[in-house]
């Protein structure tokens, strides 16, 4: 596995593979867990050369505290990627990606103002910017993203469609702890007890999924989820919505099951967690 810190180095390494091999990119912000490693596994299956990037992107943090507290575990991450047989890792410093304050703005419209966009204003603009940069730097044939950030996946899909990036996107299913808790870099900030309690997000999603498969009305489901979270002393429900995946607008009634997702966000202590399920997969 080769680690490249600069754009020039990575480009020169990849140039030998461009014409003959499929390049697979796994963009990450590090603090790698099994969810990321399942992306590497998927990339190794679909591409000849796998490139992971590790870059904590300041542009997507609307909360400066969150940026400071974001876990950084580079040495450990590299060991995990090596064991997962990743070929290249791009680990740029902030100055390499943003040599000056970027003037280009990427805004992908109303989908970015729903759910996560509402709670984290500007977040998806920052994601759109850095992912565009990574796509230009790496020029992958395929890029891999986790379902855990479902809205992010659909925002990036819009970016690829509207800016004609010649890149296939693959969404990889969420990896979960035995309790159902979705794996996330933020789980590193939770105690064992908090982790146990946080599995309520998944329990809520499963309950909602069962209710919505039996009846398409959303209001009773919202009520049931609010009651469930009222029983938890530590978890603060931020949002629970049933959405149309084409625009992430909340629905009052399920119309097309195959385009419906159930999304949830909650805070435990100072840690914000999100999760989702597609109504049918
Ligand atoms: O999902 C993430 O870790 C980040 O949002 C991404 C896609 C690597 C962009 O910084």
């Amino acid at each position: 596995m080769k680690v490249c810190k600069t754009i020039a180095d990575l480009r020169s390494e990849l140039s030998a593979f461009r014409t003959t091999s499929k390049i697979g990119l796994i963009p990450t912000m590090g603090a790698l867990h099994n969810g990321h490693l399942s992306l590497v596994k998927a990339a190794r299956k679909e591409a000849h050369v796998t490139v992971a990037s590790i870059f904590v992107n300041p542009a997507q943090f609307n909360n400066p505290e969150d940026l400071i507290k974001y876990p950084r575990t580079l040495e450990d991450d590299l060991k995990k990627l090596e064991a997962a047989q990743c070929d290249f890792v791009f680990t740029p410093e902030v100055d390499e990606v943003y040599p000056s304050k970027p003037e280009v703005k990427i805004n992908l419209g109303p989908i970015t103002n729903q759910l996560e966009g509402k709670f984290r204003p500007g977040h998806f603009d920052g994601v759109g910017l850095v992912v565009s940069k990574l796509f230009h730097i790496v020029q992958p044939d395929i890029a891999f993203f986790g379902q855990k950030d479902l809205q992010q996946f659909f925002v990036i899909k819009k970016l690829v469609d509207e800016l004609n990036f010649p890149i296939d996107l693959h969404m990889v299913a969420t990896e979960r702890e035995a309790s159902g808790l979705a794996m996330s870099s933020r789980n590193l900030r939770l105690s064992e007890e908090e982790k146990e309690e946080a599995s309520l997000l998944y329990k809520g999603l499963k309950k909602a999924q069962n209710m919505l498969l039996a009846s398409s009305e959303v209001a009773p489901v919202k009520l049931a989820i609010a009651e469930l979270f009222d029983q938890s002393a530590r978890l603060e429900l931020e949002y629970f919505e049933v959405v149309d995946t084409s625009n992430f607008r909340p629905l009052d009634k399920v119309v097309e099951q195959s385009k419906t997702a159930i999304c949830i966000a909650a805070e435990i202590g100072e840690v914000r967690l999100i999760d989702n399920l597609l109504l049918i997969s």
Side-chain angles (χ1 to χ4, degrees):
M1 185 177 83
K2 169 99 206 283
V3 180
C4 300
K5 286 183 80 80
T6 67
I7 296 169
D9 188 19
L10 183 69
R11 281 200 168 139
S12 118
E13 290 287 344
L14 294 180
S15 65
F17 300 102
R18 286 224 182 279
T19 47
T20 52
S21 311
K22 261 194 182 173
I23 297 177
L25 171 66
I26 306 116
T28 83
M29 298 206 298
L32 303 183
H33 49 70
N34 283 346
H36 296 109
L37 300 178
S38 72
L39 301 182
V40 177
K41 198 166 161 196
R44 280 180 43 78
K45 234 189 244 165
E46 306 279 330
H48 305 112
V49 178
T50 50
V51 182
S53 61
I54 299 180
F55 178 64
V56 181
N57 172 36
Q60 71 188 74
F61 286 82
N62 58 310
N63 177 352
E65 271 295 288
D66 208 18
L67 172 61
I68 294 166
K69 287 198 179 144
Y70 202 83
R72 288 158 172 89
T73 56
L74 185 59
E75 221 174 284
D76 222 46
D77 292 346
L78 293 178
K79 279 190 203 138
K80 287 179 181 166
L81 288 172
E82 175 110 63
Q85 296 179 289
C86 185
D87 300 307
F88 294 95
V89 191
F90 181 45
T91 59
E93 297 292 336
V94 173
D95 287 355
E96 180 72 7
V97 178
Y98 300 113
S100 57
K101 192 172 179 300
E103 307 227 34
V104 170
K105 300 263 180 281
I106 303 264
N107 181 285
L108 288 144
I111 187 174
T112 66
N113 299 329
Q114 304 291 344
L115 305 193
E116 285 304 290
K118 217 179 251 172
F119 282 86
R120 305 175 70 187
H123 168 67
F124 287 120
D125 299 0
V127 170
L129 184 62
V130 83
V131 170
S132 303
K133 277 175 172 274
L134 290 168
F135 284 175
H136 284 301
I137 292 165
V138 178
Q139 296 175 38
D141 298 280
I142 323 175
F144 298 81
F145 295 90
Q147 188 192 324
K148 190 176 145 276
D149 294 300
L150 188 72
Q151 190 177 4
Q152 167 172 279
F153 181 84
F154 281 92
V155 168
I156 293 170
K157 185 174 179 311
K158 200 165 162 62
L159 177 81
V160 163
D161 291 346
E162 291 205 8
L163 290 183
N164 306 94
F165 281 104
I167 299 173
D168 281 338
L169 293 181
H170 282 215
M171 184 165 81
V172 178
T174 305
E175 288 283 315
R176 299 184 180 280
E177 308 279 357
S179 67
L181 175 65
M183 289 195 187
S184 160
S185 307
R186 288 162 198 263
N187 296 357
L188 286 175
R189 291 166 58 195
L190 300 178
S191 67
E192 284 309 310
E193 278 164 24
E194 285 173 328
K195 269 194 204 163
E196 208 39 56
E197 194 149 344
S199 65
L200 196 64
L201 273 82
Y202 182 64
K203 293 188 185 110
L205 287 172
K206 285 304 283 181
K207 185 181 178 82
Q209 185 181 42
N210 288 334
M211 286 179 77
L212 287 166
L213 288 173
S215 154
S216 56
E217 290 299 330
V218 172
V221 183
K222 283 194 157 178
L223 209 61
I225 299 303
E227 276 170 11
L228 191 66
F229 275 75
D230 277 349
Q231 288 159 27
S232 160
R234 283 192 266 206
L235 274 167
E236 193 82 26
L237 185 63
E238 208 169 70
Y239 65 70
F240 168 86
E241 298 290 356
V242 179
V243 300
D244 175 342
T245 51
S246 60
N247 51 27
F248 274 73
R249 281 211 196 104
L251 297 166
D252 295 329
K253 197 179 168 101
V254 174
V255 183
E256 245 182 289
Q257 289 191 337
S258 63
K259 284 175 68 188
T260 302
I262 314 165
C263 300
I264 194 164
E267 265 189 344
I268 182 155
E270 287 181 355
V271 183
R272 188 169 181 278
L273 300 171
I274 61 171
D275 200 354
N276 68 80
L277 284 180
L278 296 169
L279 184 54
I280 52 169
S281 27

